[in-house]
Amino acid sequence: MRFVTTPTATLLTGLSTVTLREWTSRRALIPADLPPKGKGSPAGFTWQTILLLRVAVLLRDRFHFELQPHQTLFASLKAGLQHTSFIGLWGKSLILRGDNDWSLLEDVDGPLLAEDAVIIRLQPHLEALSAGFSLPGPGQSSGQLELFPARSIDMSSTAVVAATSSNLRQTASVPRRRSA
């Protein structure tokens, strides 16, 4: 699990340090994943928490929502995102229907909903998180994160290792004499 600290979280969310601390600690609107250990120590945030903070900023700034009454919605979203892969969210929108009712739907130009809802396109938020957490974008992966990331190999050191290992094999194959 990758964490970012408070300074990076402020850059990714657009919140000031004071507001971030208020939302994640004092008011516990969207709690930090790793609370600060003491005064002056930074908190730790996963990409899910940063995504929720970005959604909260959008709801506050663009739609003028009062966020505190929606604390249980944010807790429900956080629990749901814990079981969702980062790559699986690409091309999806977050549908908020009220109370704790939410869902993720494929992005379409005009989704047909049977009821009123707030629709939040996740693409711009995921692009920012992809850069901030060094996570893959939709074209970089086939739906799963790499278990072992690829590393470059220096060919000159590979030749030395290969020569050394062949010498070891030859030495190992020579029978040794026992003294009586």
Side-chain angles (χ1 to χ4, degrees), residues 1-174:
M1 177 98 15
R2 297 179 191 172
F3 293 91
V4 295
T5 58
T6 302
T8 306
T10 59
L11 293 174
L12 291 172
T13 61
L15 292 170
S16 69
T17 304
V18 172
T19 304
L20 180 68
R21 286 184 182 142
E22 181 181 335
W23 285 13
T24 60
S25 296
R26 200 178 103 211
R27 288 175 41 193
L29 181 65
I30 302 170
D33 297 292
L34 293 175
K37 293 180 177 137
K39 189 172 183 171
S41 70
F45 302 93
T46 60
W47 67 264
Q48 293 97 335
T49 303
I50 298 295
L51 179 60
L52 285 178
L53 288 166
R54 289 180 62 93
V55 167
V57 168
L58 178 73
L59 292 173
R60 180 195 68 179
D61 294 349
R62 188 161 182 197
F63 298 107
H64 307 289
F65 275 33
E66 177 62 39
L67 299 177
Q68 198 65 42
H70 302 287
Q71 186 174 4
T72 55
L73 171 67
F74 292 124
S76 173
L77 280 167
K78 190 168 186 172
L81 288 176
Q82 296 296 330
H83 304 291
T84 306
S85 76
F86 182 78
I87 296 169
L89 290 175
W90 288 93
K92 301 239 185 211
S93 290
L94 175 63
I95 311 299
L96 304 175
R97 292 187 180 87
D99 294 325
N100 293 335
D101 189 16
W102 61 273
S103 62
L104 295 168
L105 294 177
E106 293 292 327
D107 277 342
V108 290
D109 290 332
L112 300 174
L113 296 174
E115 62 223 12
D116 295 330
V118 175
I119 301 170
I120 299 172
R121 305 234 184 257
L122 296 177
Q123 194 72 21
H125 304 288
L126 296 174
E127 289 170 358
L129 293 177
S130 180
F133 279 86
S134 300
L135 293 169
Q140 300 169 328
S141 183
S142 61
Q144 184 172 348
L145 295 173
E146 293 179 22
L147 182 60
F148 301 106
R151 293 186 180 173
S152 63
I153 299 173
D154 181 16
M155 293 307 289
S156 61
S157 65
T158 306
V160 171
V161 170
T164 305
S165 64
S166 67
N167 289 342
L168 289 175
R169 271 186 252 129
Q170 288 174 355
T171 306
S173 64
V174 174

